[in-house]
Amino acid sequence: MSDKAARAAWLREALEQASREYYVLDRPSLSDAEYDALFRELRDLERTYPELRTADSPTLRIGAEVGESHLAKYAHLVPMGSLSNAFNDEELEDWAASGRDVAGADFDASGFCCELKIDGASMSLTYKNGVLITGATRGNGSVGEDVTANVRTIRDIPLRLAGKGWPPLIEIRGEVYMTFDGFEAMNVERAKAGEPVFANPRNSAAGALRQKDPSVTAKRPLRFFGYAYAVPGVASLPFNTQWELLDTLARWGVPVAPHRARCATLADVHAWAHALETTHRASLAFAIDGGVVKVNVLATQAELGSTAGGREPRWAIARKFAPDVAETRLVNIEIQVGRTGVLTPRAVLEPVEIGGTTVTYATLHNFDLIAEKDLRIGDVVQVKRAGEVIPQVLGPVPDKRDAANPPVPFRAPKKCPECGTAVVRLAGEVAIRCPNDRCPARHLEELIHFTARGAMDIRGLSEQRVRQLLEAGLISDPATLYSLTEDVLAALPRLGDKSAQQLVAAIDASKSQPLSRLLFGLGIPDVGEETAKLLARRFGTANELAAATSDDIEGIHGIGPSIASSVTAWFADAENRALVKALARHGVNMTEPRRAESEGALLGKKIVITGTLPTLGRTEAKELAEGAGGKVTDSVSKNTDFLVVGADAGSKLDKAHALGVEVIDEAELLRRIGR
Ligand code: AMP
Ligand code: ZN
């Protein structure tokens, strides 16, 4: 593996682990800022080296997972962006300085419109001739989920715009949120009914929006604030500034958040932000995670445009609150081993309240940092928690060391805590890893991947259940799943006869999954769902694939040398081959009907691809389209047959809309070429 590939793999793992800790285990380890920095690094790497993209990359997770839901997709008429952050006055000044580089004196000329940053779920409402026709989540920015039926249940949201002057087609953007009171009352009701209570208003708002049944959504206390609009193409609007826009939204019957302010200078903005943080915040009936500062005149906003990626406007920035810091004692440093064997240290703290949340765990980044900061177990440490997020240890408070009861220096482990193998450190990496491919700590991840929806899809085998089976010593690698019997399972705590029976049936049923799912499930590096299908359909059986050379594999459209060598390397490994053999012995299907690449499906079609596609790299997408007879060009014209859009799409999407060129997403492209 090249350095870049290794780094990407490390980033993927670190990000996924952080998400799992945050969302699943409810014991976050990275701060938002750390998560963002790693995320951006991975995204940039993948942009520069599209071959490093994998189907399980956390960069595909921006917003909701568009691909995997019961909700229909909705392509936003104009993409929905995000905001960059300023955590203090200086960072806000930096933002202004770069704005002035682009727009000169115009940047400050009209002053700033300052608003609350509502901590909810972003929402785009499409009104046609004044009537609400669609409500959609942000999704990946270009394509969200259609939640219209649910949105219609939100009493705050006008089904028909009031007043007049609205363009015939407009998207009104804003935030769906819950008030603290509504949230609490809902939880009281749920507790009474014996239902689980929700953790915070934001997540429950987002969850309520995505309900299958709108009558469930209707029972949740959802509210809405509008703050932006988007109109495809050119339209004359009845306002020239952000401030007037908000006034106009209010006139149209759209709720607008309180405490907005027009500030003539950046100094005024600073004062507003401080007042918001120290005074207004406490009096609000709903959660905010800061303020948003916007250049007031819309023409200047247009002049400023967006940053290179197209995601973040230069004319607006989130002014986040200063992080909250507290002191507490470092009780222990735990070590966790991830799927690729990376060892991560984590601080166990004496529980401490920071910004309204009790914090027990915090991230320690890596072992170097522990040494650099001379962090010792038993130290009093400073812990930071910025806004909604994952706490981190800033460092020890050496003055508070107790001479009579000195803290104990911590040494990075020499051995893997799970399997005892001596750890290694790759050149140029801070991470320490367990090099043992068979380390038990890795089995969990391996099994979870194997049983997942896109892979063998074994229903009823949740992460907890896999953990339980592993701990009971009943399974290790994926092949061992197929030895499980009803009797053995039924003897486990929390698992009755009925579930045992269902589980065995589900495992049994997975034996007939096609080869492509098995290949994906095996977790061969770089082999995502699409690549697995290409391989299975070309080679037809696992044996033929195992016998293939890199050249044979590279012969497939859409597969490059790095994937090819990763596949041959995987099959060259004796233990991997043994695993495949064991699976075959258990009767797991190892075949899939061969299928010629769908030559000609796009014969003669002129295609343009723009933005970051969810699973395919740019080259990969181009090769697939060309393999099916299409012609991929760079710019959209009226001769273009269709535009394939991904996240961060820019002017090409606008142009396609303007010219009436058909716009499709990656899934549709794959469908058209028969995948
Ligand atoms: P982030 O998700 O942290 O990148 O912040 C961007 C998000 O802030 C947007 O997608 C909106 O959903 C949300 N937001 C909340 N209030 C506002 C506001 N007044 N103006 C713009 N965006 C806002
Ligand atoms: Zn190990």
Side-chain angles (χ1 to χ4, degrees):
M1 251 202 290
S2 71
D3 284 350
K4 298 270 187 290
R7 180 69 187 164
W10 183 84
L11 287 165
R12 279 196 297 269
E13 160 147 12
L15 287 165
E16 279 299 73
Q17 182 169 332
S19 309
R20 203 173 35 254
E21 285 168 335
Y22 186 65
Y23 292 109
V24 184
L25 307 178
D26 203 18
R27 40 163 216 237
S29 68
L30 286 187
S31 73
D32 263 4
E34 287 162 345
Y35 185 93
D36 283 349
L38 295 179
F39 186 93
R40 263 182 227 140
E41 184 184 344
L42 179 59
R43 190 191 58 190
D44 292 346
L45 256 180
E46 290 179 344
R47 281 208 183 127
T48 321
Y49 305 97
E51 69 275 15
L52 296 183
R53 263 183 213 151
T54 58
D56 62 356
S57 175
T59 56
L60 304 178
R61 279 194 198 273
I62 305 174
E65 265 173 298
V66 175
E68 282 197 357
S69 94
H70 59 280
L71 298 162
K73 293 174 199 177
Y74 177 77
H76 299 296
L77 303 179
V78 178
M80 293 179 82
S82 161
L83 291 172
S84 49
N85 294 321
F87 282 94
N88 52 45
D89 296 356
E90 290 94 83
E91 290 181 9
L92 200 68
E93 295 285 348
D94 290 344
W95 166 72
S98 41
R100 288 176 197 126
D101 286 345
V102 177
D106 284 355
F107 185 83
D108 301 80
S110 61
F112 305 93
C113 179
C114 298
E115 303 167 23
L116 301 182
K117 187 170 187 298
I118 316 300
D119 196 11
S122 6
M123 171 55 50
S124 183
L125 304 172
T126 310
Y127 287 89
K128 196 169 178 185
N129 298 322
V131 176
L132 177 69
I133 55 164
T134 311
T137 63
R138 176 163 68 179
N140 65 13
S142 320
V143 180
E145 288 168 329
D146 187 331
V147 291
T148 312
N150 293 339
V151 163
R152 289 203 173 107
T153 69
I154 304 175
R155 299 293 169 86
D156 254 1
I157 292 181
L159 296 177
R160 180 182 283 277
L161 294 176
K164 51 183 181 303
W166 17 263
L169 188 60
I170 184 169
E171 284 183 342
I172 293 176
R173 266 93 197 253
E175 206 80 358
V176 169
Y177 69 97
M178 279 186 195
T179 62
F180 293 126
D181 284 352
F183 172 72
E184 236 108 65
M186 174 186 70
N187 267 347
V188 169
E189 284 304 311
R190 290 180 68 85
K192 260 194 235 157
E195 293 162 337
V197 296
F198 291 108
N200 67 56
R202 182 192 39 195
N203 292 354
S204 45
L209 273 177
R210 301 183 73 257
Q211 284 297 319
K212 264 202 182 108
D213 177 359
S215 69
V216 174
T217 310
K219 291 200 197 95
R220 308 277 162 85
L222 294 176
R223 307 286 299 269
F224 180 78
F225 280 134
Y227 50 66
Y229 79 98
V231 183
V234 257
S236 68
L237 291 165
F239 39 78
N240 298 311
T241 63
Q242 174 68 19
W243 187 264
E244 289 163 11
L245 178 149
L246 295 172
D247 282 344
T248 310
L249 287 183
R251 268 204 307 280
W252 290 344
V254 176
V256 169
H259 294 293
R260 62 182 154 129
R262 239 175 323 183
C263 293
T265 66
L266 219 54
D268 296 342
V269 174
H270 295 327
W272 173 83
H274 291 263
L276 180 62
E277 180 163 9
T278 53
T279 326
H280 305 318
R281 180 189 195 181
S283 70
L284 293 173
F286 47 85
I288 58 172
D289 57 338
V292 184
V293 182
K294 299 176 182 172
V295 168
N296 198 22
V297 167
L298 302 184
T300 313
Q301 293 185 359
E303 193 187 342
L304 284 160
S306 298
T307 50
R311 223 182 159 80
E312 292 164 358
R314 285 199 195 85
W315 49 267
I317 190 162
R319 174 65 168 86
K320 296 269 176 94
F321 296 134
D324 295 305
V325 175
E327 285 183 6
T328 187
R329 197 168 298 279
L330 176 64
V331 179
N332 196 7
I333 295 178
E334 283 180 358
I335 297 162
Q336 296 169 311
V337 186
R339 175 155 62 143
T340 59
V342 172
L343 272 56
T344 334
R346 184 168 73 143
V348 184
L349 307 166
E350 215 158 78
V352 60
E353 172 135 345
I354 314 177
T357 308
T358 307
V359 173
T360 318
Y361 295 100
T363 177
L364 285 168
H365 308 268
N366 57 55
F367 296 103
D368 283 1
L369 250 110
I370 297 175
E372 250 163 56
K373 291 180 174 164
D374 184 25
L375 207 57
R376 307 180 192 179
I377 293 170
D379 262 335
V380 171
V381 292
Q382 286 196 318
V383 182
K384 179 176 109 175
R385 181 177 157 273
E388 269 308 290
V389 293
I390 310 169
Q392 58 174 315
V393 173
L394 294 178
V397 187
D399 291 350
K400 298 201 173 162
R401 277 182 185 152
D402 182 355
N405 195 3
V408 188
F410 176 81
R411 263 177 245 299
K414 299 242 179 322
K415 286 181 183 162
C416 170
E418 300 285 343
C419 71
T421 308
V423 299
V424 295
R425 182 178 205 153
L426 301 184
E429 262 191 40
V430 281
I432 292 177
R433 35 175 101 231
C434 166
N436 177 8
D437 286 343
R438 305 287 161 227
C439 177
R442 296 184 180 195
H443 282 312
L444 177 65
E445 308 286 341
E446 195 180 41
L447 286 160
I448 288 168
H449 181 75
F450 185 81
T451 57
R453 196 131 40 122
M456 299 300 267
D457 193 13
I458 304 180
R459 300 286 155 95
L461 209 49
S462 62
E463 177 163 346
Q464 282 116 298
R465 183 108 314 141
V466 171
R467 227 180 257 283
Q468 188 189 16
L469 295 172
L470 269 173
E471 277 161 18
L474 293 176
I475 53 174
S476 53
D477 68 33
T480 56
L481 283 171
Y482 296 96
S483 306
L484 290 171
T485 61
E486 279 174 35
D487 294 350
V488 168
L489 287 174
L492 286 172
R494 287 169 286 132
L495 214 157
D497 286 350
K498 183 100 190 297
S499 329
Q501 202 181 331
Q502 283 169 344
L503 197 51
V504 170
I507 293 172
D508 204 51
S510 76
K511 290 182 186 168
S512 48
Q513 292 286 15
L515 176 63
S516 52
R517 280 172 171 266
L518 174 65
L519 291 176
F520 174 58
L522 288 171
I524 304 168
D526 300 326
V527 176
E529 286 182 72
E530 280 310 314
T531 304
K533 283 184 201 157
L534 291 174
L535 292 170
R537 288 171 188 176
R538 163 62 66 95
F539 293 99
T541 68
N543 279 340
E544 296 231 352
L545 175 59
T549 65
S550 283
D551 281 350
D552 297 337
I553 297 173
E554 258 182 76
I556 306 177
H557 267 302
I559 294 191
S562 70
I563 298 180
S565 65
S566 148
V567 173
T568 47
W570 194 88
F571 279 104
D573 181 292
E575 304 212 35
N576 290 335
R577 279 204 311 273
L579 171 62
V580 175
K581 232 186 232 155
L583 287 164
R585 247 199 330 272
H586 282 290
V588 174
N589 172 42
M590 299 272 156
T591 65
E592 184 156 342
R594 268 176 241 253
R595 215 198 273 178
E597 287 172 64
S598 48
E599 264 165 301
L602 300 178
L603 202 64
K605 296 272 189 256
K606 295 199 181 52
I607 302 157
V608 180
I609 303 171
T610 187
T612 308
L613 299 180
T615 70
L616 298 171
R618 185 59 74 82
T619 327
E620 204 181 346
K622 185 164 183 274
E623 285 183 10
L624 280 173
E626 288 173 348
K631 188 166 184 307
V632 177
T633 61
D634 276 336
S635 60
V636 176
S637 75
K638 61 179 194 314
N639 295 325
T640 305
D641 287 292
F642 57 84
L643 174 72
V644 184
V645 286
D648 292 350
S651 59
K652 286 180 192 167
L653 180 59
D654 296 341
K655 194 155 174 205
H657 281 309
L659 293 172
V661 168
E662 187 188 12
V663 176
I664 67 170
D665 63 5
E666 179 193 280
E668 176 62 18
L669 172 71
L670 290 169
R671 199 190 60 73
R672 288 187 187 183
I673 58 185
R675 298 247 151 73

